[in-house]
Amino acid sequence: MASQTGAIVQQSLNALMGDQAFLPHLQDQSREQVFLSLAAILSTPNKVHKAFLRITLDNGNVVRIPAYRIQHNDTLGPYKGGIRFHEMVNEEEVTNLAALMTLKNALHEVPFGGGKGGVIINPRDYSARELYLICKKYVQYFSDILGPDKDIPAPDMGSGEREMDWMMAEYKSIHPGQPYLGSFTGKSVINGGSLGRREATGKGVYFTFRYLIHDFLKSQSSWLAGSTNTFAQSALALKDRPLTIAVQGFGNVGSITALEAYKCSYLQNKVVAVSDRNVTLYNPDGLSIPSLIDYALLHKGDLPDTEEALAALNLKAQILKREDVLYLDVDVLILAALEEQVRKDNVEQVKARMIVEGANAPVTGEADEALTARGVLIIPDILANAGGVIVSYFEWLQGRDTQFLSEEQVYKMLYDKMQHTLNGILPAFFGEPFTLRQNCYNHAVMKLSNVLYKLGKLY
Ligand code: NAD
């Protein structure tokens, strides 16, 4: 398991080992033994699958594309996690993301284990036909280990509902006569996908932020005001006042999170900056997110990056470098692009008072420590970006009984589930010395440890 996740899991295990209320009958050597078993189970994936997908390109050349499926842990249910299409995919990254899925599902009480997939390509370099072949081959190579009760992939960076539709079709033809709707989630609605799945992660990211800063603080502000907890003071400083927000990444997660912030009537938000792989757009008076989404839909997901394109949209914004979004003087920075964006070498330049992790692992361990020391409140990925896997679970359930939910039902169930998790975490967080990330990991590790112990897996 890569450094940050592994280190936090170990800290959770240390805290749990010292908590005599947890498995009190286990003492001394047997207690130590159980925790060594736990550390071994959580720090390594159950299985690492690698294949080289053989594809004939449009120009007739044959290539072999490296691809992974990593199954971290299935204690709580079938493996579950996205398939990333990106040129920087590597085994360590996929393993780390698979471990994060195990913990995320445990935290939010989603009955799945953790897995993740990756294909080492830049999807923009491939035609639709070539991508179709890559998807088919991925399923062919991994067909024995995938399935509704074994391992259920979903979209991730660089993949979407089109790829899930293609993959499910291949799964169905390899396994004739068997249930197939639950084999992939994030499919198009017409092919058994769930209404609201595409928006779920972004909506969940914004909901988590809004619930913490508005609903939770409103109900708890009397005792929090007297608290010496640094994060309580950081959060209260943002309560009941207009907030400036910058969003890094304008794909599935970033664009929907930005739209939710733009539309929210609870808080007087101003989304002053958005960015993508090319550019940052900044306007201190606020940006029209619906116009930018319309533009991105017509331009392969990209934001306008010339004065002419902005003028055609009747939009006013400064065009800055793509990394400038990280350094703007804003209240809230939402990171929704990729990992390791805030690091030791640039953390000092980050001015935001609060960070929300829409992407997975966008803040490195060292940067996290530096921000925490400055009192910057970070809502971690494990808590904020679980909307996708939660609605994937609803999609999987709908595929089982072929009864489909309305969009309103899906969002209500999503928010109820996220609120349940938040209510289990936030009171303890504001009363304990742990960061919000550590608190979430402690909950997830305790849940997994309890289940593993009761299953007789720890000895
Ligand atoms: P996406 O491919 O739809 O969008 C990625 C965005 O990041 C695009 O706007 C792209 O231009 C931008 N980007 C790419 N490289 C960049 C760079 N070097 N600097 C700045 N921006 C860059 O991906 P997505 O589905 O929105 O996922 C974003 C993140 O959220 C990933 O870390 C993913 O693992 C995580 N996540 C996604 C989901 C989901 O349901 N899609 C669920 C949980 C977590």
Side-chain angles (χ1 to χ4, degrees):
M1 194 190 296
S3 51
Q4 197 194 7
T5 311
I8 307 173
V9 167
Q10 193 52 56
Q11 284 169 35
S12 294
L13 288 172
N14 294 344
L16 210 51
M17 179 146 168
D19 176 2
Q20 293 299 327
F22 180 71
L23 305 178
H25 55 286
L26 281 180
Q27 291 299 327
D28 305 328
Q29 227 182 327
S30 54
R31 191 169 182 83
E32 216 164 285
Q33 200 65 39
V34 158
F35 277 87
L36 283 175
S37 290
L38 269 171
I41 291 172
L42 297 180
S43 65
T44 42
N46 286 353
K47 289 174 195 156
V48 174
H49 305 275
K50 183 172 184 182
F52 291 89
L53 314 179
R54 188 171 179 276
I55 309 291
T56 307
L57 300 175
D58 292 347
N59 64 11
N61 289 347
V62 174
V63 290
R64 303 204 63 156
I65 297 171
Y68 291 98
R69 188 70 193 166
I70 297 193
Q71 299 177 320
H72 177 258
N73 191 284
D74 63 347
T75 302
L76 300 179
Y79 301 104
K80 182 91 187 84
I83 304 176
R84 178 170 288 197
F85 283 24
H86 197 280
E87 66 248 6
M88 300 301 285
V89 160
N90 60 69
E91 186 174 323
E92 187 188 355
E93 177 193 77
V94 184
T95 306
N96 195 34
L97 291 168
L100 183 60
M101 287 306 296
T102 300
L103 295 158
K104 199 179 291 181
N105 289 332
L107 173 67
H108 293 272
E109 297 178 11
V110 174
F112 290 137
K116 200 80 181 184
V119 181
I120 308 183
I121 55 164
N122 179 350
R124 288 168 176 266
D125 295 343
Y126 293 81
S127 69
R129 179 196 152 273
E130 290 166 342
L131 287 171
Y132 172 70
L133 293 177
I134 290 168
C135 289
K136 266 174 76 112
K137 281 285 161 80
Y138 188 95
V139 179
Q140 286 170 15
Y141 280 59
F142 295 128
S143 73
D144 289 348
I145 59 158
L146 300 177
D149 293 309
K150 293 182 188 169
D151 185 345
I152 309 138
D156 194 75
M157 253 174 98
S159 61
E161 56 187 42
R162 179 183 69 169
E163 287 73 21
M164 295 306 111
D165 284 355
W166 288 339
M167 287 189 176
M168 184 184 72
E170 188 61 17
Y171 179 87
K172 186 180 172 192
S173 53
I174 295 172
H175 302 277
Q178 289 181 31
Y180 60 89
L181 280 176
S183 57
F184 288 82
T185 61
K187 309 178 291 289
S188 64
V189 172
I190 200 166
N191 275 318
S194 177
L195 288 165
R197 169 61 184 88
R198 201 168 48 78
E199 296 83 2
T201 306
K203 278 187 175 273
V205 169
Y206 187 73
F207 174 82
T208 306
F209 159 73
R210 174 175 73 63
Y211 187 78
L212 192 159
I213 221 70
H214 180 76
D215 307 55
F216 184 76
L217 289 186
K218 198 168 158 193
S219 62
Q220 310 282 326
S221 47
S222 49
W223 76 268
L224 282 179
S227 156
T228 52
N229 184 304
T230 322
F231 301 114
Q233 299 314 318
S234 305
L236 286 170
L238 298 177
K239 184 175 163 282
D240 294 337
R241 69 170 180 80
L243 297 173
T244 52
I245 298 179
V247 183
Q248 187 199 33
F250 206 68
N252 177 302
V253 182
S255 66
I256 300 296
T257 309
L259 185 65
E260 290 291 299
Y262 174 86
K263 289 191 317 194
C264 180
S265 55
Y266 281 69
L267 305 176
Q268 300 160 52
N269 296 322
K270 233 189 282 174
V271 182
V272 296
V274 294
S275 79
D276 69 358
R277 65 197 178 93
N278 302 313
V279 76
T280 294
L281 297 177
Y282 175 59
N283 182 342
D285 296 326
L287 293 164
S288 166
I289 302 302
S291 311
L292 291 170
I293 289 180
D294 288 346
Y295 180 93
L297 279 174
L298 294 173
H299 295 86
K300 288 187 159 185
D302 289 341
L303 289 165
D305 59 357
T306 62
E307 297 293 351
E308 297 72 43
L310 285 172
L313 282 175
N314 205 16
L315 267 179
K316 286 197 173 47
Q318 293 174 43
I319 299 176
L320 307 176
K321 292 202 291 286
R322 77 170 180 204
E323 61 274 21
D324 288 347
V325 70
L326 301 171
Y327 312 130
L328 295 168
D329 188 2
V330 290
D331 294 311
V332 185
L333 173 62
I334 298 176
L335 299 169
L338 57 175
E339 40 276 294
E340 301 194 353
Q341 294 306 289
V342 181
R343 304 169 302 271
K344 189 181 175 186
D345 62 288
N346 68 357
V347 65
E348 288 311 318
Q349 297 174 66
V350 174
K351 300 186 192 71
R353 266 68 76 189
M354 181 172 182
I355 290 182
V356 186
E357 294 185 340
N360 287 316
V363 177
T364 65
E366 286 162 325
D368 187 302
E369 275 179 33
L371 292 163
T372 300
R374 270 162 42 193
V376 176
L377 177 54
I378 304 173
I379 305 187
D381 46 12
I382 186 172
L383 185 62
N385 74 15
V389 72
I390 291 172
V391 176
S392 276
Y393 168 52
F394 302 156
E395 179 176 337
W396 181 79
L397 286 174
Q398 291 169 78
R400 298 215 136 193
D401 63 9
T402 57
Q403 294 293 312
F404 292 90
L405 303 168
S406 70
E407 208 169 339
E408 291 71 33
Q409 287 171 311
V410 168
Y411 294 145
K412 177 163 185 339
M413 286 163 64
L414 168 66
Y415 295 150
D416 283 353
K417 196 144 186 63
M418 294 196 90
Q419 186 170 331
H420 177 75
T421 306
L422 284 158
N423 285 340
I425 292 287
L426 292 179
F429 162 61
F430 284 116
E432 281 175 4
F434 299 117
T435 63
L436 191 47
R437 191 188 312 279
Q438 188 67 56
N439 236 293
C440 292
Y441 273 66
N442 290 354
H443 265 71
V445 168
M446 168 138 34
K447 162 96 194 251
L448 280 161
S449 306
N450 255 322
V451 175
L452 281 162
Y453 184 73
K454 285 192 195 303
L455 289 172
K457 303 265 184 190
L458 304 177
Y459 37 79

PDB file of all heavy atoms in Angstrom, residues 84 156-158 197 201 248-253 276-277 322 336-338 358-360 385, ligand 1:
ATOM      1  N   ARG A  84      -9.462   3.226 -14.351  1.00  0.00           N
ATOM      2  CA  ARG A  84      -8.889   4.499 -14.777  1.00  0.00           C
ATOM      3  C   ARG A  84      -8.171   4.335 -16.111  1.00  0.00           C
ATOM      4  O   ARG A  84      -7.390   3.397 -16.280  1.00  0.00           O
ATOM      5  CB  ARG A  84      -7.894   4.950 -13.698  1.00  0.00           C
ATOM      6  CG  ARG A  84      -7.194   6.227 -14.009  1.00  0.00           C
ATOM      7  CD  ARG A  84      -6.426   6.709 -12.802  1.00  0.00           C
ATOM      8  NE  ARG A  84      -7.325   7.198 -11.771  1.00  0.00           N
ATOM      9  CZ  ARG A  84      -6.942   7.969 -10.760  1.00  0.00           C
ATOM     10  NH1 ARG A  84      -5.696   8.329 -10.638  1.00  0.00           N
ATOM     11  NH2 ARG A  84      -7.816   8.390  -9.875  1.00  0.00           N
ATOM     12  N   ASP A 156     -13.844   5.679 -13.925  1.00  0.00           N
ATOM     13  CA  ASP A 156     -12.943   6.542 -13.146  1.00  0.00           C
ATOM     14  C   ASP A 156     -12.373   7.540 -14.144  1.00  0.00           C
ATOM     15  O   ASP A 156     -12.911   7.684 -15.257  1.00  0.00           O
ATOM     16  CB  ASP A 156     -11.838   5.701 -12.475  1.00  0.00           C
ATOM     17  CG  ASP A 156     -11.095   6.495 -11.407  1.00  0.00           C
ATOM     18  OD1 ASP A 156     -11.651   6.701 -10.317  1.00  0.00           O
ATOM     19  OD2 ASP A 156      -9.959   6.943 -11.664  1.00  0.00           O
ATOM     20  N   MET A 157     -11.301   8.199 -13.782  1.00  0.00           N
ATOM     21  CA  MET A 157     -10.717   9.190 -14.691  1.00  0.00           C
ATOM     22  C   MET A 157     -10.519   8.609 -16.083  1.00  0.00           C
ATOM     23  O   MET A 157      -9.938   7.532 -16.236  1.00  0.00           O
ATOM     24  CB  MET A 157      -9.341   9.604 -14.184  1.00  0.00           C
ATOM     25  CG  MET A 157      -9.309  10.967 -13.609  1.00  0.00           C
ATOM     26  SD  MET A 157      -7.706  11.243 -12.922  1.00  0.00           S
ATOM     27  CE  MET A 157      -7.000  12.124 -14.266  1.00  0.00           C
ATOM     28  N   GLY A 158     -10.997   9.297 -17.094  1.00  0.00           N
ATOM     29  CA  GLY A 158     -10.754   8.881 -18.472  1.00  0.00           C
ATOM     30  C   GLY A 158     -11.742   7.858 -18.997  1.00  0.00           C
ATOM     31  O   GLY A 158     -11.713   7.496 -20.174  1.00  0.00           O
ATOM     32  N   ARG A 197     -26.396   8.600 -11.341  1.00  0.00           N
ATOM     33  CA  ARG A 197     -25.058   8.045 -11.086  1.00  0.00           C
ATOM     34  C   ARG A 197     -23.951   8.979 -11.592  1.00  0.00           C
ATOM     35  O   ARG A 197     -22.935   9.187 -10.933  1.00  0.00           O
ATOM     36  CB  ARG A 197     -24.910   6.652 -11.724  1.00  0.00           C
ATOM     37  CG  ARG A 197     -23.478   6.094 -11.750  1.00  0.00           C
ATOM     38  CD  ARG A 197     -22.890   5.920 -10.357  1.00  0.00           C
ATOM     39  NE  ARG A 197     -21.486   5.482 -10.350  1.00  0.00           N
ATOM     40  CZ  ARG A 197     -20.443   6.287 -10.400  1.00  0.00           C
ATOM     41  NH1 ARG A 197     -20.595   7.600 -10.478  1.00  0.00           N
ATOM     42  NH2 ARG A 197     -19.212   5.805 -10.356  1.00  0.00           N
ATOM     43  N   THR A 201     -21.030  11.647  -7.669  1.00  0.00           N
ATOM     44  CA  THR A 201     -19.810  11.985  -6.913  1.00  0.00           C
ATOM     45  C   THR A 201     -19.754  13.483  -6.656  1.00  0.00           C
ATOM     46  O   THR A 201     -19.533  13.933  -5.523  1.00  0.00           O
ATOM     47  CB  THR A 201     -18.551  11.497  -7.659  1.00  0.00           C
ATOM     48  OG1 THR A 201     -18.707  10.111  -7.931  1.00  0.00           O
ATOM     49  CG2 THR A 201     -17.304  11.703  -6.823  1.00  0.00           C
ATOM     50  N   GLN A 248     -10.517  22.800  -8.831  1.00  0.00           N
ATOM     51  CA  GLN A 248      -9.526  22.249  -9.772  1.00  0.00           C
ATOM     52  C   GLN A 248     -10.112  21.010 -10.429  1.00  0.00           C
ATOM     53  O   GLN A 248     -10.541  20.085  -9.741  1.00  0.00           O
ATOM     54  CB  GLN A 248      -8.227  21.857  -9.049  1.00  0.00           C
ATOM     55  CG  GLN A 248      -7.153  21.448 -10.042  1.00  0.00           C
ATOM     56  CD  GLN A 248      -6.015  20.636  -9.429  1.00  0.00           C
ATOM     57  OE1 GLN A 248      -6.222  19.862  -8.499  1.00  0.00           O
ATOM     58  NE2 GLN A 248      -4.830  20.794  -9.968  1.00  0.00           N
ATOM     59  N   GLY A 249     -10.121  20.985 -11.779  1.00  0.00           N
ATOM     60  CA  GLY A 249     -10.683  19.850 -12.517  1.00  0.00           C
ATOM     61  C   GLY A 249     -12.106  20.174 -12.920  1.00  0.00           C
ATOM     62  O   GLY A 249     -12.924  20.613 -12.081  1.00  0.00           O
ATOM     63  N   PHE A 250     -12.418  19.993 -14.198  1.00  0.00           N
ATOM     64  CA  PHE A 250     -13.773  20.305 -14.676  1.00  0.00           C
ATOM     65  C   PHE A 250     -14.324  19.113 -15.444  1.00  0.00           C
ATOM     66  O   PHE A 250     -15.014  19.252 -16.436  1.00  0.00           O
ATOM     67  CB  PHE A 250     -13.722  21.567 -15.547  1.00  0.00           C
ATOM     68  CG  PHE A 250     -15.035  22.319 -15.574  1.00  0.00           C
ATOM     69  CD1 PHE A 250     -15.509  22.963 -14.447  1.00  0.00           C
ATOM     70  CD2 PHE A 250     -15.807  22.378 -16.730  1.00  0.00           C
ATOM     71  CE1 PHE A 250     -16.714  23.650 -14.458  1.00  0.00           C
ATOM     72  CE2 PHE A 250     -17.017  23.064 -16.765  1.00  0.00           C
ATOM     73  CZ  PHE A 250     -17.470  23.701 -15.627  1.00  0.00           C
ATOM     74  N   GLY A 251     -14.016  17.912 -14.946  1.00  0.00           N
ATOM     75  CA  GLY A 251     -14.575  16.695 -15.555  1.00  0.00           C
ATOM     76  C   GLY A 251     -15.852  16.320 -14.833  1.00  0.00           C
ATOM     77  O   GLY A 251     -16.583  17.171 -14.331  1.00  0.00           O
ATOM     78  N   ASN A 252     -16.093  15.024 -14.752  1.00  0.00           N
ATOM     79  CA  ASN A 252     -17.311  14.538 -14.111  1.00  0.00           C
ATOM     80  C   ASN A 252     -17.470  15.118 -12.699  1.00  0.00           C
ATOM     81  O   ASN A 252     -18.488  15.722 -12.371  1.00  0.00           O
ATOM     82  CB  ASN A 252     -17.255  12.995 -14.096  1.00  0.00           C
ATOM     83  CG  ASN A 252     -18.437  12.378 -13.390  1.00  0.00           C
ATOM     84  OD1 ASN A 252     -18.667  12.658 -12.219  1.00  0.00           O
ATOM     85  ND2 ASN A 252     -19.188  11.560 -14.072  1.00  0.00           N
ATOM     86  N   VAL A 253     -16.450  14.968 -11.881  1.00  0.00           N
ATOM     87  CA  VAL A 253     -16.581  15.384 -10.476  1.00  0.00           C
ATOM     88  C   VAL A 253     -16.542  16.913 -10.341  1.00  0.00           C
ATOM     89  O   VAL A 253     -17.415  17.521  -9.714  1.00  0.00           O
ATOM     90  CB  VAL A 253     -15.457  14.743  -9.614  1.00  0.00           C
ATOM     91  CG1 VAL A 253     -15.622  15.147  -8.157  1.00  0.00           C
ATOM     92  CG2 VAL A 253     -15.473  13.229  -9.751  1.00  0.00           C
ATOM     93  N   ASP A 276      -8.832  23.181 -15.689  1.00  0.00           N
ATOM     94  CA  ASP A 276      -8.748  21.828 -16.256  1.00  0.00           C
ATOM     95  C   ASP A 276      -7.306  21.549 -16.641  1.00  0.00           C
ATOM     96  O   ASP A 276      -6.394  22.231 -16.157  1.00  0.00           O
ATOM     97  CB  ASP A 276      -9.742  21.651 -17.420  1.00  0.00           C
ATOM     98  CG  ASP A 276      -9.365  22.463 -18.650  1.00  0.00           C
ATOM     99  OD1 ASP A 276      -8.350  23.198 -18.612  1.00  0.00           O
ATOM    100  OD2 ASP A 276     -10.086  22.361 -19.658  1.00  0.00           O
ATOM    101  N   ARG A 277      -7.080  20.586 -17.551  1.00  0.00           N
ATOM    102  CA  ARG A 277      -5.701  20.195 -17.856  1.00  0.00           C
ATOM    103  C   ARG A 277      -4.950  21.294 -18.597  1.00  0.00           C
ATOM    104  O   ARG A 277      -3.726  21.237 -18.721  1.00  0.00           O
ATOM    105  CB  ARG A 277      -5.682  18.892 -18.652  1.00  0.00           C
ATOM    106  CG  ARG A 277      -6.307  19.037 -20.002  1.00  0.00           C
ATOM    107  CD  ARG A 277      -6.684  17.739 -20.649  1.00  0.00           C
ATOM    108  NE  ARG A 277      -7.322  18.036 -21.911  1.00  0.00           N
ATOM    109  CZ  ARG A 277      -6.671  18.091 -23.066  1.00  0.00           C
ATOM    110  NH1 ARG A 277      -5.389  17.811 -23.122  1.00  0.00           N
ATOM    111  NH2 ARG A 277      -7.320  18.405 -24.168  1.00  0.00           N
ATOM    112  N   ARG A 322      -2.720  26.541 -15.602  1.00  0.00           N
ATOM    113  CA  ARG A 322      -3.613  25.534 -14.984  1.00  0.00           C
ATOM    114  C   ARG A 322      -3.357  25.365 -13.485  1.00  0.00           C
ATOM    115  O   ARG A 322      -4.277  25.159 -12.708  1.00  0.00           O
ATOM    116  CB  ARG A 322      -3.512  24.203 -15.725  1.00  0.00           C
ATOM    117  CG  ARG A 322      -2.284  23.405 -15.420  1.00  0.00           C
ATOM    118  CD  ARG A 322      -2.373  22.013 -15.998  1.00  0.00           C
ATOM    119  NE  ARG A 322      -1.163  21.287 -15.688  1.00  0.00           N
ATOM    120  CZ  ARG A 322      -0.706  20.262 -16.366  1.00  0.00           C
ATOM    121  NH1 ARG A 322      -1.355  19.828 -17.425  1.00  0.00           N
ATOM    122  NH2 ARG A 322       0.387  19.657 -16.003  1.00  0.00           N
ATOM    123  N   ALA A 336     -10.522  18.419  -7.625  1.00  0.00           N
ATOM    124  CA  ALA A 336     -11.311  17.381  -8.309  1.00  0.00           C
ATOM    125  C   ALA A 336     -10.648  16.982  -9.625  1.00  0.00           C
ATOM    126  O   ALA A 336     -11.327  16.749 -10.619  1.00  0.00           O
ATOM    127  CB  ALA A 336     -12.734  17.886  -8.538  1.00  0.00           C
ATOM    128  N   ALA A 337      -9.310  16.921  -9.622  1.00  0.00           N
ATOM    129  CA  ALA A 337      -8.622  16.538 -10.867  1.00  0.00           C
ATOM    130  C   ALA A 337      -7.878  15.214 -10.677  1.00  0.00           C
ATOM    131  O   ALA A 337      -8.358  14.166 -11.096  1.00  0.00           O
ATOM    132  CB  ALA A 337      -7.668  17.641 -11.302  1.00  0.00           C
ATOM    133  N   LEU A 338      -6.720  15.271 -10.058  1.00  0.00           N
ATOM    134  CA  LEU A 338      -5.951  14.050  -9.876  1.00  0.00           C
ATOM    135  C   LEU A 338      -5.128  14.104  -8.600  1.00  0.00           C
ATOM    136  O   LEU A 338      -5.194  15.092  -7.864  1.00  0.00           O
ATOM    137  CB  LEU A 338      -5.099  13.718 -11.095  1.00  0.00           C
ATOM    138  CG  LEU A 338      -4.064  14.669 -11.672  1.00  0.00           C
ATOM    139  CD1 LEU A 338      -3.327  13.992 -12.796  1.00  0.00           C
ATOM    140  CD2 LEU A 338      -4.641  15.952 -12.162  1.00  0.00           C
ATOM    141  N   GLY A 358     -12.288  16.176  -3.770  1.00  0.00           N
ATOM    142  CA  GLY A 358     -13.178  15.478  -4.686  1.00  0.00           C
ATOM    143  C   GLY A 358     -12.423  14.368  -5.396  1.00  0.00           C
ATOM    144  O   GLY A 358     -12.951  13.283  -5.652  1.00  0.00           O
ATOM    145  N   ALA A 359     -11.159  14.630  -5.725  1.00  0.00           N
ATOM    146  CA  ALA A 359     -10.294  13.603  -6.328  1.00  0.00           C
ATOM    147  C   ALA A 359      -9.785  12.684  -5.230  1.00  0.00           C
ATOM    148  O   ALA A 359      -9.923  12.979  -4.047  1.00  0.00           O
ATOM    149  CB  ALA A 359      -9.117  14.277  -7.032  1.00  0.00           C
ATOM    150  N   ASN A 360      -9.169  11.576  -5.629  1.00  0.00           N
ATOM    151  CA  ASN A 360      -8.551  10.690  -4.653  1.00  0.00           C
ATOM    152  C   ASN A 360      -7.111  11.144  -4.407  1.00  0.00           C
ATOM    153  O   ASN A 360      -6.365  11.391  -5.361  1.00  0.00           O
ATOM    154  CB  ASN A 360      -8.546   9.250  -5.182  1.00  0.00           C
ATOM    155  CG  ASN A 360      -9.942   8.658  -5.156  1.00  0.00           C
ATOM    156  OD1 ASN A 360     -10.674   8.812  -4.175  1.00  0.00           O
ATOM    157  ND2 ASN A 360     -10.338   8.011  -6.244  1.00  0.00           N
ATOM    158  N   ASN A 385     -15.857  12.001  -1.424  1.00  0.00           N
ATOM    159  CA  ASN A 385     -16.125  11.587  -2.811  1.00  0.00           C
ATOM    160  C   ASN A 385     -16.761  10.197  -2.932  1.00  0.00           C
ATOM    161  O   ASN A 385     -16.652   9.555  -3.980  1.00  0.00           O
ATOM    162  CB  ASN A 385     -14.878  11.743  -3.691  1.00  0.00           C
ATOM    163  CG  ASN A 385     -13.817  10.688  -3.449  1.00  0.00           C
ATOM    164  OD1 ASN A 385     -14.073   9.667  -2.832  1.00  0.00           O
ATOM    165  ND2 ASN A 385     -12.616  10.931  -3.952  1.00  0.00           N
TER     166      ASN A 385
HETATM  167  P1  NAD B   1     -12.495  13.243 -15.536  1.00  0.00           P
HETATM  168  O1  NAD B   1     -11.562  12.533 -16.427  1.00  0.00           O
HETATM  169  O2  NAD B   1     -13.926  13.354 -15.884  1.00  0.00           O
HETATM  170  O3  NAD B   1     -11.972  14.763 -15.271  1.00  0.00           O
HETATM  171  C1  NAD B   1     -10.657  15.050 -14.873  1.00  0.00           C
HETATM  172  C2  NAD B   1     -10.464  16.581 -14.938  1.00  0.00           C
HETATM  173  O4  NAD B   1      -9.130  16.896 -14.494  1.00  0.00           O
HETATM  174  C3  NAD B   1     -10.593  17.168 -16.347  1.00  0.00           C
HETATM  175  O5  NAD B   1     -11.201  18.446 -16.274  1.00  0.00           O
HETATM  176  C4  NAD B   1      -9.143  17.332 -16.791  1.00  0.00           C
HETATM  177  O6  NAD B   1      -8.968  18.351 -17.783  1.00  0.00           O
HETATM  178  C5  NAD B   1      -8.497  17.715 -15.477  1.00  0.00           C
HETATM  179  N1  NAD B   1      -7.052  17.457 -15.451  1.00  0.00           N
HETATM  180  C6  NAD B   1      -6.389  16.422 -16.023  1.00  0.00           C
HETATM  181  N2  NAD B   1      -5.062  16.561 -15.807  1.00  0.00           N
HETATM  182  C7  NAD B   1      -4.907  17.696 -15.101  1.00  0.00           C
HETATM  183  C8  NAD B   1      -3.779  18.377 -14.558  1.00  0.00           C
HETATM  184  N3  NAD B   1      -2.539  17.902 -14.744  1.00  0.00           N
HETATM  185  N4  NAD B   1      -3.990  19.502 -13.855  1.00  0.00           N
HETATM  186  C9  NAD B   1      -5.235  19.993 -13.666  1.00  0.00           C
HETATM  187  N5  NAD B   1      -6.341  19.384 -14.141  1.00  0.00           N
HETATM  188  C10 NAD B   1      -6.176  18.265 -14.844  1.00  0.00           C
HETATM  189  O7  NAD B   1     -12.303  12.542 -14.100  1.00  0.00           O
HETATM  190  P2  NAD B   1     -13.342  12.482 -12.907  1.00  0.00           P
HETATM  191  O8  NAD B   1     -14.187  11.282 -13.064  1.00  0.00           O
HETATM  192  O9  NAD B   1     -13.943  13.818 -12.721  1.00  0.00           O
HETATM  193  O10 NAD B   1     -12.363  12.161 -11.686  1.00  0.00           O
HETATM  194  C11 NAD B   1     -11.572  13.166 -11.077  1.00  0.00           C
HETATM  195  C12 NAD B   1     -10.981  12.612  -9.790  1.00  0.00           C
HETATM  196  O11 NAD B   1     -12.046  12.194  -8.916  1.00  0.00           O
HETATM  197  C13 NAD B   1     -10.078  11.389  -9.936  1.00  0.00           C
HETATM  198  O12 NAD B   1      -9.091  11.455  -8.918  1.00  0.00           O
HETATM  199  C14 NAD B   1     -11.007  10.222  -9.632  1.00  0.00           C
HETATM  200  O13 NAD B   1     -10.312   9.089  -9.140  1.00  0.00           O
HETATM  201  C15 NAD B   1     -11.836  10.839  -8.530  1.00  0.00           C
HETATM  202  N6  NAD B   1     -13.128  10.173  -8.356  1.00  0.00           N
HETATM  203  C16 NAD B   1     -14.010  10.092  -9.392  1.00  0.00           C
HETATM  204  C17 NAD B   1     -15.239   9.476  -9.186  1.00  0.00           C
HETATM  205  C18 NAD B   1     -16.277   9.391 -10.266  1.00  0.00           C
HETATM  206  O14 NAD B   1     -17.395   8.917  -9.987  1.00  0.00           O
HETATM  207  N7  NAD B   1     -15.999   9.861 -11.478  1.00  0.00           N
HETATM  208  C19 NAD B   1     -15.537   8.915  -7.922  1.00  0.00           C
HETATM  209  C20 NAD B   1     -14.622   9.050  -6.882  1.00  0.00           C
HETATM  210  C21 NAD B   1     -13.417   9.681  -7.116  1.00  0.00           C
END
